[in-house]
Amino acid sequence: MSLPSRPRKSPVSDSSASDLSFEEMIGGEIHGDRWVVVGCVPGAAPSSMTVGWAPFAAGEEPMFWREWKRYGQKLVQALYESPEHNVNRGSSLVGIAREVRSFCQFCCANECLPSIEHFGPSHLESYLHHLEELKISESYVITKLSVLSYAWELRDAVGSGIEKSPFLFREKAAFARKIGVENGHTPTIPPGDLFWILNEAIRMVERAPELIKDFSRYLKLRASAGRNVGGAYRAAAGRSSDHLLDDVYATYGACIVIILAFTAARKHEGASIDDRDAARTAQDHVDLVSREYKGSGTIFGRKTSRPVVPIVAQAIDVVLKLTDVTRKRSRIRKLLLRLPARHSVGGGRTPRFALDSRGLYNLLDAFGRRAGTDLKLRPHMFRRAYALLWVWRFEVGDLYFLSRILLHNSVEYTLAYSEDERSWDFLPEAMREMTVEILEDSLLGSRALSGGISSSLRRYSRILQASVEVVRPEEVDALVRRLVDVQGMRVRAHADGYCFMSASRGKYAKCSLDGVRPNYSNRTALMCAACPNFGVDVMREDIWRERLERHELVSKQTQFEELASASRKAVAACKKVLRAILKGRC
């Protein structure tokens, strides 16, 4: 039974993959032995966008494989054509096709089933046992089990399939928890290691101009001396060419670390950067333009623009110069290309000029060895580190802005970073010192703090006065150190004021959702004004006055009673905070 294809459209605009017919997406014949899926993400090796349907065992074609192959291909097409399933990128299609193929291979080779109609409860039991032996993550188990759900849901569209739903409500998740390995995530770089790594990367980038001159000399000698380039370079430069190339690879890796760490870009965004846009950024320090694919929902991605600091512009300039020969030879207009040395070749001795994931990892490994770190550095680690540093440094609790920087489609994805188990490790000493400074200023009277925390601070002040005749800085310091070291007190600054938090005070936080600890993403001005952990000083007066004026304006002009009511409550909260500031000033 053939499935109707969608109307043919030309893939020339920034449109969804679903605008293309299935034949266009797989690059040819539906029932062929090899699909080459369009919409390759920059930086991905060509093999990552292919799906092979040829016999998977050595020797003769397994019995029934032709039937299973045709069924699997029809099921993938039905998934693509189905409006209920979100298959809108080439990478999604490749992933689903490979999982369908894997399931068909199991049924054909392990169970010797002639067709999908023969799949029953005993075969489901065997498949679950097979997945358990693979020792894969819970989320990957669910992905594989989803193929069975598709085989039931799309049986009418395909013309055959599983006749009875293989899973009850939420049963897939239960199976996954039982047989899967607990889900993990990209490792987090500890703060101390992160700053060491960045320092080493910056040092290499700043020393790159001399290295670029030596590399240019090496390339000229190679063009004239050929195989004897090693000896010619040693005679000219006084060191081995291998040592030079190690430096070049490590410096290229350092540049990538700088670009990723200071822009929070995804790996494929870096691979999407046009060399002309990169040159403008390097010369004029304009925003770095690229394209993002993962959350765009299109095969052509969406344009991104990221501001850069001077060291990023410098790193981009170094990359452009190190890869200049490759760029001229290949005519590929991308920033990240392979170096014109130690060049790898593919099948048929065809050189690969684009820097794919493997090449990128090799450069990061070269940098890691030179920087002296035992961490296996990978691109996404720097994106996670960026998120955690943002959360610590700004403490605004507004994850919406961080989500925009990271180009997440939902704040839920951002929470996976900001609530990382290592987030409290980021800059703990700096946070500790900030806490000590604010508490000491408050207890000595040089910084008047009002709000819900003020009563607690006054209590600490009375404790001090009762224990010593004259309150001196050293007595204050001793008390504060006990608060910080014993009670775990931490002050988290944000635009509204300060959150005074410890393990014992977390349950009092108005923004808490679990009654145990604060949830800064749930923080609002209304909550902060009524929170016993909140403190505000005179420096925040302008913020609260501006907020008061805006809410007063809304409460008077809006025609929606719900909005007016919310604004009136906010007005009352703002006035309460401003009264506290005024009282603290007196």
Side-chain angles (χ1 to χ4, degrees), residues 5-11 15-30 34-41 49-51 76-77 79-81 86-95 97 297-300:
S5 295
R6 291 178 180 167
R8 184 183 182 89
K9 293 186 181 180
S10 177
S15 58
S16 165
S18 58
D19 290 333
L20 306 180
S21 71
F22 187 69
E23 291 89 343
E24 289 172 317
M25 280 299 295
I26 64 171
E29 169 59 35
I30 293 175
R34 186 169 182 264
W35 291 351
V36 181
V37 180
V38 302
C40 182
V41 173
M49 299 301 285
T50 62
V51 182
V76 175
Q77 183 183 4
L79 278 165
Y80 179 78
E81 301 285 354
N86 188 28
V87 185
N88 54 14
R89 296 197 311 269
S91 56
S92 303
L93 184 58
V94 169
T298 77
I299 62 172
F300 301 101

Short mmCIF file of all heavy atoms in Angstrom, two decimals, residues 5-11 15-30 34-41 49-51 76-77 79-81 86-95 97 297-300:
data_model
loop_
_atom_site.label_atom_id
_atom_site.label_comp_id
_atom_site.label_asym_id
_atom_site.label_seq_id
_atom_site.Cartn_x
_atom_site.Cartn_y
_atom_site.Cartn_z
N SER A 5 2.02 11.33 -0.89
CA SER A 5 3.05 12.28 -0.48
C SER A 5 2.47 13.68 -0.43
O SER A 5 1.49 13.99 -1.09
CB SER A 5 4.23 12.26 -1.46
OG SER A 5 4.87 11.01 -1.43
N ARG A 6 3.12 14.54 0.35
CA ARG A 6 2.68 15.92 0.42
C ARG A 6 3.05 16.65 -0.86
O ARG A 6 3.92 16.22 -1.61
CB ARG A 6 3.35 16.61 1.61
CG ARG A 6 2.80 16.05 2.93
CD ARG A 6 3.50 16.70 4.07
NE ARG A 6 2.97 16.18 5.33
CZ ARG A 6 3.52 16.35 6.50
NH1 ARG A 6 4.61 17.05 6.59
NH2 ARG A 6 2.98 15.86 7.59
N PRO A 7 2.39 17.77 -1.14
CA PRO A 7 2.70 18.52 -2.35
C PRO A 7 4.17 18.90 -2.40
O PRO A 7 4.77 19.27 -1.39
CB PRO A 7 1.81 19.77 -2.22
CG PRO A 7 0.72 19.37 -1.30
CD PRO A 7 1.32 18.39 -0.36
N ARG A 8 4.75 18.79 -3.55
CA ARG A 8 6.16 19.09 -3.73
C ARG A 8 6.39 20.59 -3.64
O ARG A 8 5.73 21.38 -4.27
CB ARG A 8 6.62 18.56 -5.09
CG ARG A 8 8.11 18.73 -5.35
CD ARG A 8 8.44 18.24 -6.75
NE ARG A 8 9.84 18.35 -7.02
CZ ARG A 8 10.74 17.41 -6.77
NH1 ARG A 8 10.34 16.30 -6.20
NH2 ARG A 8 12.01 17.57 -7.05
N LYS A 9 7.37 20.97 -2.80
CA LYS A 9 7.74 22.38 -2.68
C LYS A 9 9.25 22.49 -2.80
O LYS A 9 9.99 21.61 -2.40
CB LYS A 9 7.28 22.96 -1.33
CG LYS A 9 5.77 23.03 -1.18
CD LYS A 9 5.41 23.74 0.09
CE LYS A 9 3.90 23.80 0.28
NZ LYS A 9 3.50 24.49 1.50
N SER A 10 9.68 23.58 -3.31
CA SER A 10 11.12 23.79 -3.47
C SER A 10 11.74 24.24 -2.16
O SER A 10 11.25 25.18 -1.55
CB SER A 10 11.37 24.85 -4.55
OG SER A 10 12.75 25.10 -4.66
N PRO A 11 12.82 23.60 -1.72
CA PRO A 11 13.42 23.94 -0.44
C PRO A 11 14.33 25.16 -0.54
O PRO A 11 15.53 25.07 -0.31
CB PRO A 11 14.22 22.69 -0.10
CG PRO A 11 14.62 22.12 -1.41
CD PRO A 11 13.50 22.44 -2.34
N SER A 15 11.82 27.34 5.52
CA SER A 15 10.56 26.66 5.79
C SER A 15 10.80 25.38 6.54
O SER A 15 11.91 24.91 6.68
CB SER A 15 9.85 26.35 4.46
OG SER A 15 10.69 25.56 3.65
N SER A 16 9.73 24.80 7.03
CA SER A 16 9.82 23.56 7.78
C SER A 16 10.16 22.41 6.84
O SER A 16 9.82 22.42 5.66
CB SER A 16 8.49 23.29 8.48
OG SER A 16 8.43 21.97 8.93
N ALA A 17 10.81 21.39 7.41
CA ALA A 17 11.11 20.20 6.62
C ALA A 17 9.84 19.56 6.13
O ALA A 17 9.82 18.90 5.09
CB ALA A 17 11.91 19.22 7.47
N SER A 18 8.75 19.73 6.86
CA SER A 18 7.50 19.09 6.47
C SER A 18 6.91 19.71 5.21
O SER A 18 5.95 19.19 4.67
CB SER A 18 6.49 19.21 7.62
OG SER A 18 6.26 20.56 7.96
N ASP A 19 7.48 20.81 4.71
CA ASP A 19 7.03 21.37 3.44
C ASP A 19 7.55 20.55 2.26
O ASP A 19 7.11 20.74 1.13
CB ASP A 19 7.51 22.82 3.29
CG ASP A 19 6.79 23.74 4.26
OD1 ASP A 19 5.65 23.41 4.63
OD2 ASP A 19 7.36 24.77 4.63
N LEU A 20 8.51 19.67 2.50
CA LEU A 20 9.09 18.86 1.44
C LEU A 20 8.40 17.50 1.40
O LEU A 20 7.99 16.98 2.44
CB LEU A 20 10.59 18.67 1.67
CG LEU A 20 11.43 19.93 1.85
CD1 LEU A 20 12.88 19.55 2.07
CD2 LEU A 20 11.29 20.86 0.66
N SER A 21 8.29 16.94 0.22
CA SER A 21 7.73 15.60 0.12
C SER A 21 8.70 14.62 0.76
O SER A 21 9.89 14.90 0.95
CB SER A 21 7.50 15.23 -1.34
OG SER A 21 8.75 15.02 -1.99
N PHE A 22 8.20 13.43 1.09
CA PHE A 22 9.05 12.44 1.74
C PHE A 22 10.20 12.04 0.82
O PHE A 22 11.34 11.85 1.27
CB PHE A 22 8.22 11.22 2.13
CG PHE A 22 8.98 10.22 2.95
CD1 PHE A 22 9.37 10.53 4.25
CD2 PHE A 22 9.33 8.98 2.43
CE1 PHE A 22 10.09 9.62 5.01
CE2 PHE A 22 10.03 8.07 3.19
CZ PHE A 22 10.42 8.39 4.48
N GLU A 23 9.92 11.90 -0.49
CA GLU A 23 10.97 11.55 -1.44
C GLU A 23 12.06 12.61 -1.46
O GLU A 23 13.26 12.30 -1.55
CB GLU A 23 10.39 11.38 -2.86
CG GLU A 23 9.49 10.17 -3.02
CD GLU A 23 8.03 10.49 -2.69
OE1 GLU A 23 7.78 11.54 -2.04
OE2 GLU A 23 7.15 9.71 -3.06
N GLU A 24 11.67 13.89 -1.37
CA GLU A 24 12.67 14.96 -1.34
C GLU A 24 13.51 14.88 -0.06
O GLU A 24 14.72 15.11 -0.08
CB GLU A 24 11.98 16.32 -1.42
CG GLU A 24 11.38 16.62 -2.79
CD GLU A 24 10.55 17.89 -2.78
OE1 GLU A 24 9.77 18.08 -1.82
OE2 GLU A 24 10.67 18.67 -3.73
N MET A 25 12.85 14.57 1.07
CA MET A 25 13.57 14.51 2.34
C MET A 25 14.61 13.40 2.36
O MET A 25 15.69 13.57 2.93
CB MET A 25 12.59 14.30 3.49
CG MET A 25 11.88 15.56 3.93
SD MET A 25 13.00 16.85 4.52
CE MET A 25 13.67 16.09 5.99
N ILE A 26 14.30 12.25 1.76
CA ILE A 26 15.25 11.12 1.83
C ILE A 26 16.15 11.05 0.60
O ILE A 26 16.97 10.14 0.49
CB ILE A 26 14.52 9.78 2.02
CG1 ILE A 26 13.64 9.46 0.80
CG2 ILE A 26 13.70 9.79 3.28
CD1 ILE A 26 13.07 8.07 0.82
N GLY A 27 16.01 12.00 -0.28
CA GLY A 27 16.92 12.11 -1.42
C GLY A 27 16.78 11.01 -2.45
O GLY A 27 17.77 10.62 -3.07
N GLY A 28 15.56 10.50 -2.66
CA GLY A 28 15.40 9.52 -3.73
C GLY A 28 14.34 8.48 -3.48
O GLY A 28 13.29 8.77 -2.91
N GLU A 29 14.63 7.24 -3.85
CA GLU A 29 13.69 6.13 -3.82
C GLU A 29 13.36 5.73 -2.38
O GLU A 29 14.25 5.48 -1.56
CB GLU A 29 14.29 4.93 -4.58
CG GLU A 29 13.54 3.62 -4.44
CD GLU A 29 12.11 3.71 -4.92
OE1 GLU A 29 11.85 4.43 -5.90
OE2 GLU A 29 11.25 3.06 -4.29
N ILE A 30 12.06 5.62 -2.10
CA ILE A 30 11.61 5.28 -0.74
C ILE A 30 12.11 3.90 -0.33
O ILE A 30 12.53 3.69 0.80
CB ILE A 30 10.07 5.34 -0.66
CG1 ILE A 30 9.59 6.78 -0.83
CG2 ILE A 30 9.57 4.76 0.66
CD1 ILE A 30 8.09 6.92 -0.89
N ARG A 34 19.57 2.90 0.70
CA ARG A 34 20.28 3.97 1.39
C ARG A 34 19.54 5.29 1.21
O ARG A 34 19.27 5.71 0.09
CB ARG A 34 21.71 4.11 0.83
CG ARG A 34 22.59 5.10 1.58
CD ARG A 34 24.04 4.94 1.09
NE ARG A 34 24.95 5.83 1.79
CZ ARG A 34 25.33 7.01 1.32
NH1 ARG A 34 24.88 7.43 0.15
NH2 ARG A 34 26.17 7.77 2.01
N TRP A 35 19.19 5.90 2.34
CA TRP A 35 18.58 7.22 2.32
C TRP A 35 19.64 8.26 2.68
O TRP A 35 20.41 8.07 3.62
CB TRP A 35 17.46 7.32 3.36
CG TRP A 35 16.24 6.50 3.05
CD1 TRP A 35 15.95 5.83 1.91
CD2 TRP A 35 15.13 6.29 3.93
NE1 TRP A 35 14.73 5.20 1.99
CE2 TRP A 35 14.20 5.47 3.24
CE3 TRP A 35 14.82 6.69 5.22
CZ2 TRP A 35 13.00 5.06 3.80
CZ3 TRP A 35 13.63 6.28 5.79
CH2 TRP A 35 12.72 5.48 5.08
N VAL A 36 19.65 9.34 1.94
CA VAL A 36 20.51 10.48 2.27
C VAL A 36 19.57 11.64 2.58
O VAL A 36 19.02 12.28 1.69
CB VAL A 36 21.45 10.84 1.10
CG1 VAL A 36 22.34 12.02 1.49
CG2 VAL A 36 22.30 9.63 0.72
N VAL A 37 19.36 11.89 3.86
CA VAL A 37 18.35 12.84 4.30
C VAL A 37 18.86 14.27 4.16
O VAL A 37 20.01 14.56 4.50
CB VAL A 37 17.96 12.56 5.78
CG1 VAL A 37 16.90 13.54 6.26
CG2 VAL A 37 17.45 11.12 5.91
N VAL A 38 18.00 15.17 3.67
CA VAL A 38 18.40 16.56 3.49
C VAL A 38 18.27 17.29 4.83
O VAL A 38 17.69 16.79 5.79
CB VAL A 38 17.53 17.27 2.43
CG1 VAL A 38 17.60 16.56 1.11
CG2 VAL A 38 16.08 17.38 2.90
N GLY A 39 18.83 18.49 4.85
CA GLY A 39 18.76 19.29 6.07
C GLY A 39 19.89 18.98 7.01
O GLY A 39 19.74 19.00 8.23
N CYS A 40 21.07 18.69 6.46
CA CYS A 40 22.24 18.38 7.29
C CYS A 40 22.64 19.59 8.13
O CYS A 40 22.78 20.69 7.61
CB CYS A 40 23.41 17.95 6.41
SG CYS A 40 24.88 17.49 7.32
N VAL A 41 22.78 19.39 9.42
CA VAL A 41 23.21 20.46 10.31
C VAL A 41 24.69 20.72 10.10
O VAL A 41 25.48 19.78 10.05
CB VAL A 41 22.94 20.07 11.78
CG1 VAL A 41 23.52 21.10 12.74
CG2 VAL A 41 21.44 19.94 12.01
N MET A 49 23.74 11.82 8.38
CA MET A 49 22.45 12.07 7.74
C MET A 49 22.09 10.98 6.74
O MET A 49 21.29 11.19 5.85
CB MET A 49 22.47 13.44 7.05
CG MET A 49 22.70 14.61 7.99
SD MET A 49 21.47 14.75 9.30
CE MET A 49 20.07 15.38 8.38
N THR A 50 22.68 9.80 6.91
CA THR A 50 22.34 8.67 6.05
C THR A 50 21.72 7.55 6.88
O THR A 50 22.04 7.38 8.05
CB THR A 50 23.58 8.13 5.32
OG1 THR A 50 24.51 7.65 6.29
CG2 THR A 50 24.22 9.20 4.46
N VAL A 51 20.85 6.80 6.25
CA VAL A 51 20.23 5.63 6.88
C VAL A 51 20.35 4.46 5.92
O VAL A 51 19.87 4.54 4.79
CB VAL A 51 18.73 5.88 7.20
CG1 VAL A 51 18.15 4.65 7.91
CG2 VAL A 51 18.56 7.13 8.04
N VAL A 76 8.23 4.73 8.70
CA VAL A 76 8.93 6.02 8.80
C VAL A 76 8.23 7.07 7.95
O VAL A 76 8.04 8.21 8.37
CB VAL A 76 10.40 5.87 8.37
CG1 VAL A 76 11.09 7.23 8.36
CG2 VAL A 76 11.14 4.91 9.29
N GLN A 77 7.80 6.68 6.74
CA GLN A 77 7.08 7.62 5.89
C GLN A 77 5.77 8.06 6.54
O GLN A 77 5.41 9.24 6.52
CB GLN A 77 6.79 6.99 4.52
CG GLN A 77 6.10 7.97 3.57
CD GLN A 77 5.74 7.35 2.24
OE1 GLN A 77 5.95 6.15 2.04
NE2 GLN A 77 5.21 8.14 1.33
N LEU A 79 5.12 8.22 9.70
CA LEU A 79 5.45 9.15 10.79
C LEU A 79 5.71 10.55 10.26
O LEU A 79 5.27 11.55 10.82
CB LEU A 79 6.70 8.63 11.54
CG LEU A 79 6.46 7.56 12.58
CD1 LEU A 79 7.78 6.90 12.97
CD2 LEU A 79 5.80 8.16 13.82
N TYR A 80 6.42 10.63 9.15
CA TYR A 80 6.72 11.93 8.55
C TYR A 80 5.45 12.60 8.04
O TYR A 80 5.26 13.81 8.20
CB TYR A 80 7.71 11.75 7.41
CG TYR A 80 8.04 13.05 6.71
CD1 TYR A 80 8.93 13.95 7.27
CD2 TYR A 80 7.45 13.38 5.49
CE1 TYR A 80 9.23 15.16 6.64
CE2 TYR A 80 7.73 14.56 4.85
CZ TYR A 80 8.62 15.46 5.43
OH TYR A 80 8.90 16.64 4.81
N GLU A 81 4.57 11.81 7.46
CA GLU A 81 3.34 12.36 6.89
C GLU A 81 2.28 12.67 7.94
O GLU A 81 1.35 13.43 7.69
CB GLU A 81 2.75 11.36 5.87
CG GLU A 81 3.66 11.00 4.71
CD GLU A 81 3.75 12.12 3.68
OE1 GLU A 81 3.01 13.10 3.82
OE2 GLU A 81 4.56 11.99 2.74
N ASN A 86 5.75 15.17 15.39
CA ASN A 86 6.55 16.35 15.06
C ASN A 86 7.90 15.94 14.45
O ASN A 86 8.94 15.98 15.11
CB ASN A 86 6.76 17.18 16.32
CG ASN A 86 7.42 18.52 16.02
OD1 ASN A 86 7.26 19.05 14.93
ND2 ASN A 86 8.16 19.04 16.98
N VAL A 87 7.87 15.54 13.20
CA VAL A 87 9.11 15.20 12.48
C VAL A 87 9.36 16.31 11.47
O VAL A 87 8.95 16.22 10.31
CB VAL A 87 8.98 13.83 11.77
CG1 VAL A 87 10.30 13.43 11.14
CG2 VAL A 87 8.52 12.76 12.74
N ASN A 88 10.01 17.38 11.91
CA ASN A 88 10.14 18.55 11.04
C ASN A 88 11.58 18.92 10.73
O ASN A 88 11.85 19.98 10.21
CB ASN A 88 9.42 19.76 11.67
CG ASN A 88 9.91 20.04 13.09
OD1 ASN A 88 10.93 19.52 13.50
ND2 ASN A 88 9.16 20.85 13.80
N ARG A 89 12.53 18.04 11.09
CA ARG A 89 13.92 18.30 10.75
C ARG A 89 14.56 17.02 10.23
O ARG A 89 14.16 15.91 10.57
CB ARG A 89 14.72 18.78 11.97
CG ARG A 89 14.27 20.08 12.55
CD ARG A 89 15.35 20.67 13.46
NE ARG A 89 15.86 19.69 14.42
CZ ARG A 89 15.35 19.50 15.63
NH1 ARG A 89 14.30 20.19 16.02
NH2 ARG A 89 15.88 18.61 16.44
N GLY A 90 15.59 17.21 9.41
CA GLY A 90 16.28 16.04 8.87
C GLY A 90 16.86 15.17 9.96
O GLY A 90 16.81 13.94 9.89
N SER A 91 17.43 15.78 11.01
CA SER A 91 18.03 15.00 12.08
C SER A 91 16.98 14.17 12.82
O SER A 91 17.25 13.04 13.24
CB SER A 91 18.75 15.94 13.07
OG SER A 91 17.86 16.92 13.56
N SER A 92 15.76 14.73 12.97
CA SER A 92 14.67 13.97 13.60
C SER A 92 14.31 12.76 12.76
O SER A 92 14.10 11.65 13.29
CB SER A 92 13.44 14.86 13.79
OG SER A 92 13.73 15.99 14.56
N LEU A 93 14.23 12.96 11.46
CA LEU A 93 13.86 11.88 10.56
C LEU A 93 14.92 10.77 10.59
O LEU A 93 14.58 9.57 10.63
CB LEU A 93 13.70 12.42 9.14
CG LEU A 93 13.22 11.42 8.07
CD1 LEU A 93 11.88 10.82 8.45
CD2 LEU A 93 13.13 12.11 6.72
N VAL A 94 16.19 11.15 10.59
CA VAL A 94 17.27 10.17 10.65
C VAL A 94 17.18 9.37 11.95
O VAL A 94 17.28 8.13 11.95
CB VAL A 94 18.65 10.86 10.54
CG1 VAL A 94 19.76 9.87 10.89
CG2 VAL A 94 18.86 11.40 9.15
N GLY A 95 17.00 10.06 13.07
CA GLY A 95 16.92 9.37 14.35
C GLY A 95 15.78 8.39 14.42
O GLY A 95 15.96 7.24 14.87
N ALA A 97 14.19 6.98 11.86
CA ALA A 97 14.41 5.90 10.89
C ALA A 97 15.36 4.85 11.45
O ALA A 97 15.15 3.64 11.28
CB ALA A 97 14.95 6.48 9.58
N GLY A 297 12.94 24.30 14.39
CA GLY A 297 11.81 23.64 13.73
C GLY A 297 11.86 23.74 12.23
O GLY A 297 10.88 23.47 11.55
N THR A 298 13.01 24.13 11.66
CA THR A 298 13.15 24.21 10.21
C THR A 298 14.44 23.53 9.80
O THR A 298 15.38 23.42 10.59
CB THR A 298 13.19 25.68 9.72
OG1 THR A 298 14.49 26.22 10.00
CG2 THR A 298 12.13 26.51 10.38
N ILE A 299 14.51 23.11 8.54
CA ILE A 299 15.74 22.49 8.06
C ILE A 299 16.78 23.55 7.72
O ILE A 299 17.94 23.23 7.48
CB ILE A 299 15.47 21.61 6.82
CG1 ILE A 299 14.91 22.44 5.66
CG2 ILE A 299 14.56 20.46 7.17
CD1 ILE A 299 14.79 21.66 4.36
N PHE A 300 16.38 24.82 7.67
CA PHE A 300 17.31 25.89 7.34
C PHE A 300 17.72 26.71 8.55
O PHE A 300 18.49 27.64 8.44
CB PHE A 300 16.69 26.81 6.28
CG PHE A 300 16.33 26.08 5.01
CD1 PHE A 300 15.02 25.71 4.75
CD2 PHE A 300 17.30 25.72 4.10
CE1 PHE A 300 14.68 25.01 3.60
CE2 PHE A 300 16.98 25.03 2.95
CZ PHE A 300 15.67 24.67 2.69
#
